[in-house]
Amino acid sequence: LTSRATTGRNHSLYHGSCRKWACVRTLKTTMALIKHTQLSKSIISFDSQGNKTASRLRGQALCNQDSRAPHGSDRYSQLGNNRRRLRLSKENPSRTSRNIATNAIWIPNDNDSSKEIAADWADVSAMLKQNEDKYDEDLSEIGIQFPNRNVPHSTVAVGPSIYQVYVRNHGNPQVVLATKQPAPVQHGTFQEVLADLDRIAAMKFDYIYLLPIHPIGVYKKKGELGCPYSIQDYTGIDPALGNLGEFELLCKAAARRGMGVMLDVVFNHTSHDSLIAYQFPGWMRRDRPDMEAYPAEAYWSDVADLMHDMADPNVRAGMWDFLAECLLYWVDRGVTGFRCDVCSLVPAEFWEMVIKKCKARNPKVIFLGESIDPELEESRRERNLICEREGDLYDAGFDYLYDYDIWHTWSNEHSHKETASDQKFWSELDLQLGTLPSLGGKLRFTENHDQIRTMEQFEGNAGQFVAWCTFMAFLPGSFLVYAGQEAGARHTPSLFDLDPVQWYDSLISSKSGHHPSFEYTEFFTSLNQMKRALGDAVNLPSQQAQFSVLQTSPVAIAVWKCEGGAGAVLLICNLQGRSGLTVEVPLEDGEYQDMLMSAGAEDETQDTQDFEAAMRSVVNGTIVVNEPIVIRVGLNQLKPLTNKHTVPWMPATHPQ
């Protein structure tokens, strides 16, 4: 299907696979968006009286979803001959002309489908007119409500809270909350995420991070639906998720709720049947005798590597410019952050170039890099493959990097049923903190889409679950929660198949009893509120904040000290999940307010008992620890600190 916008530029639809229901829904929304944005010659034409007339509709499937085409077949030849949708015009980078036709659309031949489209046209059009301001508003005018957001991210000690969503398997939690019944098993969409934004925003997250939303490769795919990290088209959208208009609406709706949208970027590899693989075969790694593109990591068999270390600098520069334009395409559509998949496997020189371009377009865009674990790093160095060091990635402009340099040590200790007081993790954390002051921030987490669920890791021990989530959020850096974590989910959704989050299993009555919620929703709300208050206290350079881990056993005690007048914030946390422990703390005797317990008590609907429950007593220098305790005090209320290592946080963007 080829279309021509009113600007006179050519656009084409990507030939991908989709079910009939997805195609019909996509066509309806696309038709409405085309009418709204006056792309009158794209798919649908309008006569002088405004009546719509269909044009250029092909009554056949462009690609069968279950096809297993061999390399070099007609399907791939046809795919390789498609024009790129992305406008790579450096002369006109403006966002005034939208390419609405971004999805694969299968137009059925049967009359019932045509009648369905015609019948729903009026409803869809009316809906869009009611929300016309959502499409006309300039994305650049929307700011993200991040604490101290005018302070560069690479200079802050406490970063944003990020909520990770796998759109395909999000599982429609709003249906569960509304019906108090399990949601039907169905493919997730942008519309489901849009419906869930109020709940996510209520938990005080700063960013919503989406796993890749692009068309998924078919050739050599894994599972029934394939992995979202096997990408066919960097500027396309998987039609099963929705379309470009719905994605832009999601970005705007998130911004109105004080959240940015972070998109997953995968520039180490593409799918075997990607547009790049067939339009620019010289960009792919093909240094084996059979000359077939392949991944350097054999277990990623459904993808093929881009050859960032190619010998010809001119060809490499062309590829890098293309990839940079792909990111700018999404910046222009409302994306305010990028999570860069296995960023260590891509040259730091490339990241420096692309980060500068994106931040020149929108200074509020942040970059989160998935730096790799030490085991993979060592393996790649032995094979003389690209593997950038974290210091070089920070120098390139990354705001945050993954915690994988120490996370696997933490995870292995719990997987092996070792105690939380084992010294290897703490010594590695101590070493990491010693380098952070001049290197920016880390992303802290207890789980993500690649790792075991936290509740499964702790075999259902709610005490350890809450304690470790609190400790990770209290550490310097940003904090990530994977959708379903607030439900205490124990099953990690599959990357390759339809496998929604099981929200219903943790549905409970809320604290107030007025509406249902998920078991740990209020906990993560309080945790994020505490983290925002902590950021307000320590992020300003004038505070000269210092972070210290005072002890690790029998409970962990950590403290932020601010010499600039903000006082100190103390965390007391039993990481082994036990309750009723009486421990010594570095505080004078008295009553102290728990920031975690009081975070939700400021709401007018909360009972006076909530304030009383938020008070903690220190008697004879000891306190009773059940759940994690976070206390803000003046520096004069702290006893002398005797920890072996105090880490001052000196705001600086890069090491000298």
Side-chain angles (χ1 to χ4, degrees), residues 90 280 282-283 307-323 349 353:
K90 295 184 179 179
F280 307 103
W283 293 1
M307 198 166 183
H308 287 280
D309 54 354
M310 65 180 69
D312 190 331
N314 294 325
V315 177
R316 182 174 65 247
M319 179 178 73
W320 286 5
D321 285 342
F322 175 89
L323 297 177
E349 180 185 358
M353 178 270 293

Side-chain angles (χ1 to χ4, degrees), residues 346-401:
V346 178
E349 180 185 358
F350 164 78
W351 291 123
E352 182 177 10
M353 178 270 293
V354 75
I355 291 173
K356 285 182 178 178
K357 285 189 175 184
C358 289
K359 293 198 173 188
R361 185 71 59 86
N362 182 0
K364 296 178 182 178
V365 173
I366 71 169
F367 276 80
L368 164 64
E370 187 197 20
S371 47
I372 61 177
D373 62 87
E375 183 178 346
L376 179 56
E377 179 180 353
E378 181 180 358
S379 171
R380 289 185 67 88
R381 294 192 187 284
E382 290 176 351
R383 291 176 286 161
N384 294 319
L385 296 173
I386 296 174
C387 186
E388 297 288 3
R389 300 185 185 278
E390 288 193 351
D392 295 328
L393 294 172
Y394 282 120
D395 280 342
F398 277 99
D399 297 292
Y400 305 99
L401 294 178

Side-chain angles (χ1 to χ4, degrees), residues 411-548:
S411 178
N412 289 337
E413 287 180 358
H414 295 290
S415 296
H416 299 156
K417 308 298 184 296
E418 300 175 11
T419 64
S421 61
D422 281 355
Q423 291 305 306
K424 186 176 181 182
F425 168 72
W426 297 110
S427 61
E428 289 185 0
L429 175 62
D430 185 67
L431 177 63
Q432 183 197 73
L433 291 175
T435 62
L436 275 176
S438 58
L439 288 180
K442 279 287 184 180
L443 175 71
R444 311 293 180 176
F445 54 89
T446 59
E447 66 180 67
N448 59 46
H449 68 280
D450 281 327
Q451 309 301 336
I452 187 174
R453 288 281 196 182
T454 311
M455 191 61 81
E456 179 67 17
Q457 177 104 317
F458 294 129
E459 298 181 336
N461 188 323
Q464 281 188 293
F465 174 88
V466 169
W468 274 109
C469 288
T470 304
F471 183 80
M472 292 297 188
F474 194 76
L475 285 172
S478 56
F479 179 59
L480 180 139
V481 171
Y482 187 25
Q485 194 169 348
E486 71 271 36
R490 299 183 62 166
H491 172 67
T492 304
S494 169
L495 278 178
F496 313 113
D497 298 299
L498 186 59
D499 187 18
V501 175
Q502 301 300 314
W503 297 100
Y504 178 74
D505 294 343
S506 72
L507 190 65
I508 61 171
S509 297
S510 67
K511 191 175 181 180
S512 62
H514 298 308
H515 54 79
S517 67
F518 302 115
E519 189 168 357
Y520 297 97
T521 296
E522 293 181 0
F523 161 68
F524 281 109
T525 303
S526 298
L527 191 61
N528 287 332
Q529 286 177 317
M530 179 277 294
K531 191 170 179 65
R532 286 187 176 184
L534 181 62
D536 289 339
V538 308
N539 276 346
L540 296 179
S542 61
Q543 293 300 327
Q544 301 178 33
Q546 295 180 329
F547 177 83
S548 308

Side-chain angles (χ1 to χ4, degrees), residues 146 159-163 204-207 478-480 527-528 531:
F146 174 68
S161 295
I162 302 170
Y163 188 80
K204 310 302 180 183
F205 285 99
D206 301 300
Y207 287 87
S478 56
F479 179 59
L480 180 139
L527 191 61
N528 287 332
K531 191 170 179 65

Side-chain angles (χ1 to χ4, degrees), residues 158-220:
V158 177
S161 295
I162 302 170
Y163 188 80
Q164 181 182 15
V165 172
Y166 184 11
V167 180
R168 176 202 290 172
N169 285 330
H170 193 52
N172 210 336
Q174 287 303 314
V175 171
V176 177
L177 292 173
T179 65
K180 300 181 182 180
Q181 297 291 330
V185 177
Q186 61 186 24
H187 200 294
T189 65
F190 294 142
Q191 294 178 2
E192 290 178 358
V193 179
L194 183 63
D196 201 28
L197 281 184
D198 285 335
R199 185 187 68 87
I200 298 171
M203 290 189 285
K204 310 302 180 183
F205 285 99
D206 301 300
Y207 287 87
I208 178 171
Y209 148 43
L210 307 179
L211 268 68
I213 61 173
H214 312 295
I216 296 173
V218 176
Y219 184 57
K220 293 189 177 181

